[in-house]
Amino acid sequence: MGLLRRTGRLLLVLPLIVLSVAGGALALLFGALSLWQSGRDGEVALPGLSAPVEVVHDAHGVPHLFAATETDAYRVLGWLHARDRLAQMEAQRRIGAGRTAEIVGALSLPLDRFMRTLGLHSQAERAYETLPPPVRAAVDAYTAGVNAWLERPTGPLPVEFWLLWHRPEPWRPADTLVYGKLMSLLGGSWRNDLRRAALLEKLGPERLADLFPDDPPDAPATLAAADGVDWVRLAAALSGLLPAEAAASNWWALAGSRTASGRPILVNDPHLNIQVPSQWYLARIVTPDLTLAGAFAPGVPFLIMGHNGHVAWGFTTPYSDTEDLFVLPADAPGIAVRTETIGVRFGRTVQHRVRVAAQGPVLSDVSDAATEAAGPDRMVALASAALRAADPNVAATWALNRARSVAEAREALKGYAAPHQNVVLADTGGHIGFVSAGLIPVREGFGGRLPVAAEAGRWTGFVPFESLPQAVDPPDALLVNANNRVVPAGRPDPLGGDAAEPWRAARILELLEGRRVHDIAGQEAILADILSKPAQALLPYLTALPPEMPLEADALGQLRVWNGRMRADRPEPLIFEWWLKEVHAALLRDELGDLYAGGLDARLVLHLLRGRPDWCDDTGTPRREDCAAIVRRALRTTLETLKERHGPHLVAWDWGWEHRVETGHALLARVPVLSWWFSRTRATDGGFYTVNRAGGSGTGERRPFQHVHGAVFRGIYDLADLDRSRFVVLGGPSGDPLSPLFDTLTPVWAAGRHVMLTGDAAALAPTARGRELFRP
């Protein structure tokens, strides 16, 4: 999703240059467009419906669709998505098809080359032809709904289209299916392999092992079988092509024996990059045979996260190892070659050669720099479970939407491929469960942590579904995951990968075990928890220092009594987080050089301070007092920097001044002339390691702790009565910043509160923001 956001910004590069100069004309343009906004009342003729469909927009503008058939509901949902989120959908499909340069020009050619190399859109076209008939009918109905709005729009196109002087093409079924292909890139474990290879080349195997303490002790740390490639240069050449999405999440499920109602409770809050409009579209569909409520994705008809009246489900990312880089001779046999023609606005058409090996597409062909890094005699190919010819994901999601029990949901997930996800489930019958669903390769000849020569290793298949981590109705009546390992320590882990540290999961368990019986209201408090367990773990290294100046005495005095809660109105989180950034840089920047990317890896800092003191000494001599010196210097640098930024008095410092979230329009808020209109920021509690995820990058000096990552959707499901379930997304139904429904849910989201999606049309009417009737 971060890829969509960043490329969406790229799509405005050219007009933004003009916008900075033509502010007055733009103000008039936006004023006129704001008066031309379509309402949410009246009748709409929508060909293809079998019967009228009523849509009631509740007090927050969230649409509730009441239809006679599922197909009718999908057709109307497509129409609503086109009206509310067309710019988002356009960016999404153009990225997936590798056609952004047609709009932006040569600036986005590297992205288009990469996407054409992967071939996502052509795979989506082939996948559509293999869809089961009912799934294909649903996709067709949704496509027809999108195109019905495009043919007869009820209002102006989004402002992005006006600025780019662009009209969208008709929607195609493959444009819907490419969404799943794009989401499959979220894992991106090949990037971890590439980074390991570059670090190994620079540091050697022993130092590499220090940086990845959770790797298996027998993990091979050699590239001898894949030599001839400049891994440092290749990592640099490929690093900017696909910006990494910070994907994290929490979920937990409580069986009825732990709840006041006697039925399960399920909670899920996927964490993605903060953007408005959000990645998710909150909606409810009601038909005689099916009810769906929760988070839909613009461009897709099926419910991604939510409940269907019988089963609730949610996701976390396991960071499993589903991809590998294979090194092949440049003259390897069996290489398929095709030429992709890439249109370039304001420029010449580009011919891009794509080679595909037996393992997968050749990534070292995406740019001249990548080709040079691979060397004249080598090419580097990507094997990914997400790039297979067969694509069962859409059918699996359709089946999950219809499951009436945990058992049926698990059966639906047997067909799921990528991206690999930990899926939590609960049903009205009282069952809870989870399955780590998706394809995990079985490797022969290598461990998957580093690139490998094609003659030295291969994939022999995929881990059987029955062998994937999973559980149903566990004895302790509780399931928790926060991207941490789902396989107990000491047992073989078929997922591999780089699971997150267990701090968030440990905190959730503390809060759940702290009460004997739970209710829905109590889950909101857990989602809002802002205690940082890594702060508690690292504070002793700080508070053990004797102060050497008055400001240090004040800071250390505050930190010694701090409880680790990341409150926006307190100075302690600010001091701690800045100190962590400085220690991280002091330990790693000199050693890693150009490979150092900054960050706030508390687990690695704790590991190095505890057991690898040689990282504290540039001479390589392990003297523990050197680590204390680094801690001291980092504190001094922190306090000097914060004094410059916030003044000399610590009492005036607060975390919320640095830790702010932007909830204005993701693109127009960055236009100099218009930022006053479209930019909105607010201070927020929490941090990178709190249950209430509010992460900053820890990079850059201007705004290193801006809240850029967090729970853009939250769902709390009451299996005793799913109508009492609670939801929220960041933003609102409309992606148009001129619409009154642009940010209707932002205040609810920011306050840690939720809304319910319930009621028939008559019950919703008194507080509704509009009612629309779609007629055949």
Side-chain angles (χ1 to χ4, degrees), residues 249-252 316-317 422 479-486 505 508:
S249 304
N250 304 312
W251 58 237
W252 62 91
T316 60
T317 297
N422 294 325
L479 292 166
V480 175
N481 186 252
N483 311 111
N484 52 297
R485 278 171 52 98
V486 293
I508 294 169

Side-chain angles (χ1 to χ4, degrees), residues 587-665:
L587 290 170
L588 300 172
R589 185 164 46 201
D590 288 344
E591 296 274 2
L592 271 56
D594 291 342
L595 293 177
Y596 181 70
L600 298 165
D601 192 337
R603 176 173 54 176
L604 180 57
V605 167
L606 190 62
H607 170 68
L608 296 180
L609 290 179
R610 278 177 174 172
R612 295 293 184 270
D614 52 308
W615 283 83
C616 299
D617 182 15
D618 290 339
T619 67
T621 303
R623 298 194 304 270
R624 292 188 182 276
E625 62 271 20
D626 292 324
C627 290
I630 277 184
V631 170
R632 164 75 68 187
R633 286 195 299 271
L635 176 62
R636 185 159 297 173
T637 301
T638 293
L639 295 179
E640 290 172 354
T641 303
L642 295 180
K643 183 178 178 180
E644 291 177 5
R645 295 170 75 98
H646 301 283
H649 304 297
L650 187 145
V651 69
W653 301 357
D654 65 70
W655 176 228
W657 188 261
E658 298 275 0
H659 190 249
R660 306 183 69 81
V661 65
E662 290 188 4
T663 59
H665 191 268

Side-chain angles (χ1 to χ4, degrees), residues 503-525:
W503 281 317
R504 276 183 289 122
R507 179 58 179 165
I508 294 169
L509 277 170
E510 281 181 358
L511 295 169
L512 291 175
E513 297 289 7
R515 296 184 61 179
R516 187 176 63 86
V517 177
H518 290 268
D519 58 17
I520 287 292
Q523 310 315 299
E524 281 190 325

Side-chain angles (χ1 to χ4, degrees), residues 250-254 265-268 306 311-316 400 406 409 413 421-426 432-436 479-481 717:
N250 304 312
W251 58 237
W252 62 91
L254 298 155
I265 291 174
L266 187 149
V267 181
N268 181 217
V311 178
W313 63 91
F315 300 91
T316 60
L400 178 62
V406 166
L413 290 168
Q421 295 283 284
N422 294 325
V423 187
V424 65
L425 306 160
I432 65 172
F434 95 95
V435 58
S436 201
L479 292 166
V480 175
N481 186 252
Y717 306 96

Side-chain angles (χ1 to χ4, degrees), residues 7-19 26 29-30 33 86-88 90-91 94 99-105 107-108 157-168 345-346 665 667-668:
T7 306
R9 292 177 183 172
L10 186 60
L11 290 174
L12 284 180
V13 167
L14 295 178
L16 290 188
I17 297 172
V18 178
L19 294 181
L26 278 170
L29 170 63
F30 290 136
L33 290 176
L86 184 61
Q88 195 173 359
E90 179 73 3
R94 282 193 170 273
R99 296 180 59 198
T100 62
E102 294 176 9
I103 305 302
V104 175
L107 285 171
S108 65
L157 291 173
V159 293
E160 292 90 339
F161 289 87
W162 288 77
L163 297 175
L164 290 164
W165 206 252
H166 170 64
R167 290 195 63 84
R345 195 175 195 178
F346 313 117
H665 191 268
L667 302 178
L668 297 184

Side-chain angles (χ1 to χ4, degrees), residues 373-702:
D377 302 323
R378 296 285 187 274
M379 55 185 176
V380 180
L382 169 65
S384 172
L387 299 179
R388 299 164 66 245
D391 184 1
N393 282 10
V394 177
T397 304
W398 179 88
L400 178 62
N401 279 200
R402 281 152 186 76
R404 290 178 173 256
S405 66
V406 166
E408 289 186 11
R410 289 179 67 251
E411 192 66 27
L413 290 168
K414 287 183 178 180
Y416 180 79
H420 192 254
Q421 295 283 284
N422 294 325
V423 187
V424 65
L425 306 160
D427 65 30
T428 54
H431 302 287
I432 65 172
F434 95 95
V435 58
S436 201
L439 296 178
I440 302 294
V442 176
R443 299 172 173 90
E444 181 181 278
F446 72 114
R449 310 302 278 170
L450 288 162
V452 65
E455 64 269 20
R458 65 190 183 106
W459 287 8
T460 60
F462 295 97
V463 175
F465 180 84
E466 292 73 18
S467 299
L468 294 172
Q470 53 193 293
V472 175
D473 297 330
D476 57 358
L478 176 67
L479 292 166
V480 175
N481 186 252
N483 311 111
N484 52 297
R485 278 171 52 98
V486 293
V487 177
R491 295 187 186 178
D493 185 357
L495 306 186
D498 296 280
E501 67 291 324
W503 281 317
R504 276 183 289 122
R507 179 58 179 165
I508 294 169
L509 277 170
E510 281 181 358
L511 295 169
L512 291 175
E513 297 289 7
R515 296 184 61 179
R516 187 176 63 86
V517 177
H518 290 268
D519 58 17
I520 287 292
Q523 310 315 299
E524 281 190 325
I526 296 175
L527 283 171
D529 186 76
I530 55 172
L531 185 139
S532 171
K533 293 192 76 67
Q536 292 180 329
L538 282 163
L539 273 176
Y541 291 90
L542 259 175
T543 55
L545 296 174
E548 295 182 352
M549 59 184 64
L551 189 57
E552 283 188 8
D554 289 345
L556 292 171
Q558 293 284 95
L559 291 170
R560 288 187 182 110
V561 297
W562 180 43
N563 58 12
R565 296 184 187 277
M566 305 288 288
R567 285 176 45 181
D569 61 351
R570 297 296 304 172
E572 298 91 348
L574 177 58
I575 298 168
F576 171 76
E577 290 285 299
W578 206 289
W579 170 82
L580 176 60
K581 179 173 79 76
E582 293 293 339
V583 172
H584 189 272
L587 290 170
L588 300 172
R589 185 164 46 201
D590 288 344
E591 296 274 2
L592 271 56
D594 291 342
L595 293 177
Y596 181 70
L600 298 165
D601 192 337
R603 176 173 54 176
L604 180 57
V605 167
L606 190 62
H607 170 68
L608 296 180
L609 290 179
R610 278 177 174 172
R612 295 293 184 270
D614 52 308
W615 283 83
C616 299
D617 182 15
D618 290 339
T619 67
T621 303
R623 298 194 304 270
R624 292 188 182 276
E625 62 271 20
D626 292 324
C627 290
I630 277 184
V631 170
R632 164 75 68 187
R633 286 195 299 271
L635 176 62
R636 185 159 297 173
T637 301
T638 293
L639 295 179
E640 290 172 354
T641 303
L642 295 180
K643 183 178 178 180
E644 291 177 5
R645 295 170 75 98
H646 301 283
H649 304 297
L650 187 145
V651 69
W653 301 357
D654 65 70
W655 176 228
W657 188 261
E658 298 275 0
H659 190 249
R660 306 183 69 81
V661 65
E662 290 188 4
T663 59
H665 191 268
L667 302 178
L668 297 184
R670 285 155 180 80
V671 180
V673 176
L674 301 173
S675 58
W676 64 273
W677 192 357
F678 294 110
S679 178
R680 303 176 183 92
T681 64
R682 64 184 76 208
T684 54
D685 295 328
F688 192 85
Y689 292 105
T690 57
V691 176
N692 179 8
R693 176 85 161 204
S697 66
T699 60
E701 294 300 326
R702 183 167 175 263

Side-chain angles (χ1 to χ4, degrees), residues 30-105:
F30 290 136
L33 290 176
S34 66
L35 295 175
W36 191 13
Q37 291 297 311
S38 59
R40 296 296 190 271
D41 288 291
E43 293 192 4
V44 178
L46 185 54
L49 292 177
S50 66
V53 175
E54 185 172 11
V55 177
V56 181
H57 301 268
D58 67 18
H60 294 91
V62 177
H64 299 242
L65 288 71
F66 300 92
T69 69
E70 296 170 26
T71 304
D72 285 350
Y74 294 137
R75 190 177 298 265
V76 172
L77 183 65
W79 192 97
L80 294 174
H81 279 177
R83 178 180 65 185
D84 291 340
R85 299 291 186 89
L86 184 61
Q88 195 173 359
M89 294 164 63
E90 179 73 3
Q92 176 179 294
R93 67 166 167 174
R94 282 193 170 273
I95 291 168
R99 296 180 59 198
T100 62
E102 294 176 9
I103 305 302
V104 175

